[in-house]
Amino acid sequence: MEKLKSVIPETLKLEISQSTIDELHCTCSSLLNFFQNLPLFHQMVRELTDPEKALCGKNKEAAMEAKAKGNECFSKGEYSTALHFYSQALRAAPADVEDKEKNLVAMLYLNRASTLHKLGFFLESLRDCSRALIVSPAYAKAWFRRAKANSSLGNYEDAIKDLTVSLKIETSSSGKKQIENELNMLLNKSGLSRAIEKPYHDSSEERLLMELKYVSTTTKGRGMTSFTDIPLASLIHKEDPYAAIILKNCRETHCAFCFNELPADTVPCVSCSIPLYCSLNCQVQAGGEDFSLCKDKYRLPQELSDDLEQYAKNVTSPDISSSSIEHAAEHKHECQGMHWPAVLPSDVVLAGRILVKHIEKQSCGGVDSKINRILDLCENYGKLSYETKLEFHVYSIILLCCLQRFYASKLPLNSATTLEIIMLLSRIRVNSMAIVRMNHPDGRQNLDYNATSSVEQVQVAQAVYSSGSLFNHSCVPNVHAYFLSRTLFMRATENVTAGSELELSYGPQVGQWDCSERRKFLEERYSFICQCSGCSQLNFSDLVHTGYRCSIPNCSGVVLESCVAKYEKEKLKHFKGPDSLQQYILKDDKIGGVASHVFEQNDYYRCFEPGHCLSCGSFRDLPASQKTIVKAEIRVRRLQEAVASGEIATDLVVDALKSIDILRTVLHPFNKRIAEVEDIIAQAFCSIGEFQAALKHCRASIEILEKLYGESHIVIGNELIKLASIQLSNGLKNGADNTSRTVAIFSQYYGSHADNMFPHLRYLKS
């Protein structure tokens, strides 16, 4: 793509980079005309759209090669490696190809099922056997292997039925004898069937009890409010995406449809080798393709009893939900062996999915044919960088060319369509949401001392929610957004009075970053300067977040550096005079404790000078302080690296303890960096088995974070889980002293979904 951009004439680049919305028709026409006469452009489009040139199509030779490697590893007992090769072969195998008179896909599913069984993944093995039988219902060996999986799960009655079907299909005498022997063994066990432990699932369905309405605000445009008061923890919104796409770096780890973590028995797309799914249901929902065309060739025998025939039908023809117009088969137009969905940026491919869904809905009637009416959301074209404007022009034309194969009549290759795609990309840029998953340390979900590692939110997908996008941002939100599969949920994190705006965080929050960092991020990512209460009103967290300690002993005041002082001084503009500022500060004891000098002065602007204490006015030499911090951080970094590697020497812990003592002499007691270093030291003590010391430093970290975020913030809930992990897993007293508080915080943010999303909560409550 860089090569293509490099040949665009500089005059045209300049015209595009400086363009406004009113000039888009002209710039689109000029670039389109230039590309249509450029051989390099046509070559690139051919490489992106020609199945013969793509690397993501199905390939029998590649599948057979991977299968052979899997067989070799299986025979050597290298089952994990065999699993990898069989999965690789399934990804490449065409659906209609045979190997030794058996369907290749069915054979690969069966081989992988055997490998999974050897590895102890009995449920996954059962699912793979079922998939083999969906492709090839008369596959005797698959029924036999399915019986073995059911037997290992203690599901003996189904195992007997599987063997009975296998016996009816098997033609060889040796095969029949093996099945009969297995059947006789199981008949003796059939009365011993045990219940299979099922994963926890909260079946309660919360109803949306409040009605929301759109409002227009003077500073933020449209927003959302409620007609009625909203109690704390109430579910206020639930929505499936208009369109969504998995991020490229998550294709190998998360399902391309529901975005949950992939199991060992991944399901590939039937027609291409790009996406992986966690189940056949997700695969069919996303791509709309199944193995129904293969079934006629591998029918079950007619002599099965009625009960057995119904059982076999339930296995080989499961009720899998197919896509609807509202829930379109979003991968289907990408699933023809073409290369462009794998190459183009995720937001460009997402734009393609939105366009295709609009066209499909339009064909059913009742939808405006104009592309710019697809999503009634704001755009920010005028505020885009010069480079982004050029990229949007180039990618819009390329996407339009890629979609010509199926939708040429609906998407004419002209400047008007290009313009509308550019505007769609601009809307995606400011309105799409990041779907995140919780990344538990080392994949652990139970509590143990390793759980002192932070629970991270990992972005796995990008989606557009038509109504969810109308909620405005605040750095002190009253709404929390989270995701179950693709579905967006929003829950009130405080009591909200009727008519108050409902606001969520677009990423940064008070406590997480200081005001300067939050504003910079939001302006760069979403093209607006945040004026929320957290960014326009003085608050304790922003003052101390990166603050320094006063040079006078026993003074609790904070010293600000220049970039922070600049933003905090701006907040003073909202006050009408010294009296209103004093009244505001007196309402907040925490602000008064670190900035008492401010409300004692008439010229309070002068108090916010970098390097001067906000309580007593004393001066601190910030450059000298920063040099001290740099030296101390070297030893902290060494310990952090040792914690990550699991090789912690005692002297590293001792050095880090000295460093935090030094940091405390320079940084304000509630500076967030001190909390982070305390957390690192707590992890180190856990790793070497010093749990009492770990408790001390974990509590010290929490005390600071409570001041920055507030005592009921979800960040504090995660920190309390760490604390409980040290207490409970190691038999220390007072192991559950914060259980009720922890559960209350998670319930406030996730309601009835908390236990399902955070299994360690169930462990904690038990």
Side-chain angles (χ1 to χ4, degrees), residues 19 123 213 234 250 368 465 504 506 520 581 616 668 687 731:
S19 62
L123 184 59
K213 62 178 178 179
S234 298
C250 295
D368 195 310
Y465 295 87
L504 54 85
Y506 289 2
K520 181 180 179 182
L581 175 61
C616 70
H668 192 273
S687 297

Side-chain angles (χ1 to χ4, degrees), residues 335-362:
C335 189
Q336 305 297 325
M338 296 182 292
H339 208 45
W340 66 267
V343 174
L344 297 184
S346 297
D347 55 347
V348 177
V349 182
L350 179 60
R353 292 186 171 189
I354 292 172
L355 288 168
V356 169
K357 181 171 183 177
H358 176 71
I359 291 170
E360 296 296 337
K361 292 178 73 173
Q362 182 187 331

Side-chain angles (χ1 to χ4, degrees), residues 44 59 65 127 197 310 529 593 603 619 621 654 738 754:
M44 184 172 290
N59 186 310
E65 182 181 350
R127 292 195 297 244
E197 184 179 349
Q310 184 60 50
I529 298 173
D603 189 5
F619 177 75
D621 186 347
V654 173
N738 288 301

Side-chain angles (χ1 to χ4, degrees), residues 508-679:
Q509 297 187 37
V510 169
Q512 179 185 7
W513 297 342
D514 66 31
C515 183
S516 62
E517 293 174 310
R518 298 196 307 269
R519 279 189 156 190
K520 181 180 179 182
F521 170 85
L522 292 166
E523 187 171 8
E524 289 178 353
R525 178 64 180 82
Y526 296 102
S527 304
F528 70 86
I529 298 173
C530 187
Q531 296 291 339
C532 74
S533 59
C535 292
S536 61
Q537 298 176 13
L538 285 176
N539 64 76
F540 175 82
S541 182
D542 281 351
L543 290 173
V544 301
H545 192 281
T546 56
Y548 293 79
R549 179 185 284 275
C550 178
S551 58
I552 304 298
N554 300 322
C555 178
S556 61
V558 65
V559 178
L560 307 180
E561 54 188 359
S562 58
C563 62
V564 177
K566 171 189 172 184
Y567 283 92
E568 295 307 306
K569 191 181 290 187
E570 280 186 22
K571 296 179 181 180
L572 300 177
K573 297 176 182 177
H574 295 271
F575 297 103
K576 297 178 180 179
D579 291 341
S580 64
L581 175 61
Q582 289 173 20
Q583 290 175 5
Y584 178 80
I585 294 178
L586 286 171
K587 291 178 183 178
D588 192 326
D589 293 338
K590 291 191 297 182
I591 294 179
V594 299
S596 59
H597 191 54
V598 175
F599 64 84
E600 294 171 354
Q601 305 295 317
N602 288 328
D603 189 5
Y604 46 80
Y605 278 94
R606 294 186 62 184
C607 296
F608 281 83
E609 290 300 319
H612 290 271
C613 175
L614 295 185
S615 275
C616 70
S618 299
F619 177 75
R620 171 177 275 281
D621 186 347
L622 293 185
S625 298
Q626 288 160 359
K627 288 180 181 179
T628 302
I629 292 169
V630 169
K631 290 180 181 179
E633 286 285 3
I634 292 172
R635 291 181 289 191
V636 173
R637 198 177 309 115
R638 287 174 185 161
L639 180 62
Q640 190 170 15
E641 291 169 356
V643 170
S645 67
E647 299 177 358
I648 303 170
T650 304
D651 60 328
L652 290 176
V653 180
V654 173
D655 286 346
L657 289 171
K658 292 177 182 177
S659 291
I660 198 168
D661 287 340
I662 293 171
L663 291 174
R664 287 187 180 278
T665 66
V666 179
L667 300 177
H668 192 273
F670 297 118
N671 184 301
K672 190 177 183 182
R673 183 55 186 164
I674 294 180
E676 293 168 348
V677 176
E678 291 280 17
D679 188 61

Side-chain angles (χ1 to χ4, degrees), residues 53 80 207 212 265 307 354 445 595 603 764:
K53 295 181 180 293
S80 295
R207 291 186 298 162
L212 306 183
D265 56 322
D307 289 346
I354 292 172
Q445 294 184 332
D603 189 5
L764 181 62

Side-chain angles (χ1 to χ4, degrees), residues 106 109-110 126-147 162 165 169 295 298 300 312 315-318:
Y109 272 128
L110 184 59
L126 178 68
R127 292 195 297 244
D128 262 2
C129 291
S130 299
R131 290 161 189 154
L133 291 167
I134 289 171
V135 180
S136 182
Y139 198 171
K141 196 173 180 180
W143 285 106
F144 180 81
R145 174 54 59 189
R146 191 174 192 274
D162 293 334
V165 177
I169 301 170
K295 282 190 175 183
Y298 310 103
L300 281 164
V315 173
T316 60
S317 301

